[in-house]
Amino acid sequence: RTRSSQPSAAAKTSWISLPRCLRGCIRNLSAFDWRKKDEAPGAVKASDPFTGLNSRSFMADTRIQLEVEDWVRRNWMSTEFGMKFSRERVKLRSGGVFDFDAVSEDHSIVATISTSGSKTSGGKNAVGKILKLRSDMLILTMVDAKRRVIVLTERDMYDQCEKEAAGGRVPPEIEFVCALIPDGLRHRLVAARSKASEESSGGAVNS
């Protein structure tokens, strides 16, 4: 007995009852070839099918971000605040813990470090980056420290955050500071960010 390749009436009804956006997602998923014959088991894919972002570019972008954060923590912050800083896990008042980018040796200052700008490569507001900073603000308000600081390496993001603070949309205990990084480091950060943004935009799935 052979099975019909045509969907049953019940299946058609179930498909039609699904929201249009969900049907579109399922069509996009079915369009990808997840099992490539020439792909070795455990191999890292060259790019993500949803974002089109090349894995090497993503890793390079992440590496330079971590390098910038490390320079800010070891050099700029130690000079600006007059004490050593290290990445450290801190207990929150809510009972949990969180790994902060920079904590002073006397635990009086707890900080996060952001290398993001306020605009996307297309000139639009970087909503996702700003929401990430709001998440950082929430976490910072949950620690016991004399100063809770968000360190920003991009002047436009610093200006945007100061504007939000002036408008009363930032917890009063949160401080913003702008760290100046070396030109060589900045050029590498901008180049890695631009390359990742171009590949992500070029490979995005159109629904």
Side-chain angles (χ1 to χ4, degrees):
R1 183 181 178 182
T2 58
R3 295 182 179 179
S4 173
S5 60
Q6 297 299 321
S8 65
K12 289 182 179 179
T13 302
S14 298
W15 172 258
I16 294 174
S17 66
L18 290 173
R20 183 179 298 176
C21 60
L22 183 55
R23 295 203 301 267
C25 290
I26 293 174
R27 288 194 186 100
N28 286 333
L29 286 171
S30 62
F32 293 118
D33 179 15
W34 298 101
R35 296 177 295 178
K36 296 182 179 179
K37 295 180 180 179
D38 59 346
E39 187 174 275
V44 177
K45 293 184 179 180
S47 62
D48 184 276
F50 291 101
T51 64
L53 186 59
N54 186 284
S55 59
R56 290 191 179 88
S57 296
F58 176 79
M59 292 172 64
D61 186 34
T62 303
R63 279 199 302 270
I64 186 61
Q65 288 180 22
L66 292 176
E67 188 175 340
V68 171
E69 289 179 11
D70 189 55
W71 186 90
V72 169
R73 181 170 46 246
R74 292 187 177 185
N75 298 276
W76 188 87
M77 293 188 72
S78 62
T79 301
E80 179 73 12
F81 296 103
M83 62 183 79
K84 293 182 179 180
F85 285 81
S86 61
R87 184 177 178 84
E88 191 170 328
R89 179 168 296 178
V90 178
K91 186 175 181 180
L92 306 177
R93 287 198 295 262
S94 57
V97 295
F98 188 82
D99 293 326
F100 286 94
D101 296 326
V103 179
S104 62
E105 53 189 347
D106 64 354
H107 289 78
S108 64
I109 303 174
V110 177
T112 61
I113 302 172
S114 172
T115 62
S116 300
S118 65
K119 301 291 184 181
T120 65
S121 58
K124 298 180 179 180
N125 290 330
V127 178
K129 304 297 184 183
I130 294 174
L131 288 177
K132 169 61 171 63
L133 288 179
R134 290 203 174 278
S135 175
D136 289 346
M137 295 178 205
L138 173 62
I139 290 294
L140 282 168
T141 61
M142 299 168 70
V143 299
D144 287 317
K146 290 182 179 179
R147 300 178 67 179
R148 303 168 181 86
V149 181
I150 293 182
V151 183
L152 305 160
T153 63
E154 303 302 305
R155 171 59 66 171
D156 61 340
M157 183 62 91
Y158 171 78
D159 291 340
Q160 179 64 35
C161 289
E162 285 292 299
K163 182 179 179 180
E164 291 293 304
R169 294 181 291 273
V170 173
E173 62 265 41
I174 300 297
E175 298 179 44
F176 298 108
V177 295
C178 188
L180 299 178
I181 61 176
D183 289 340
L185 206 55
R186 176 171 296 283
H187 292 158
R188 290 171 55 204
L189 176 64
V190 172
R193 184 189 297 150
S194 298
K195 185 174 181 180
S197 178
E198 289 172 4
E199 293 185 352
S200 177
S201 299
V205 175
N206 294 321
S207 57

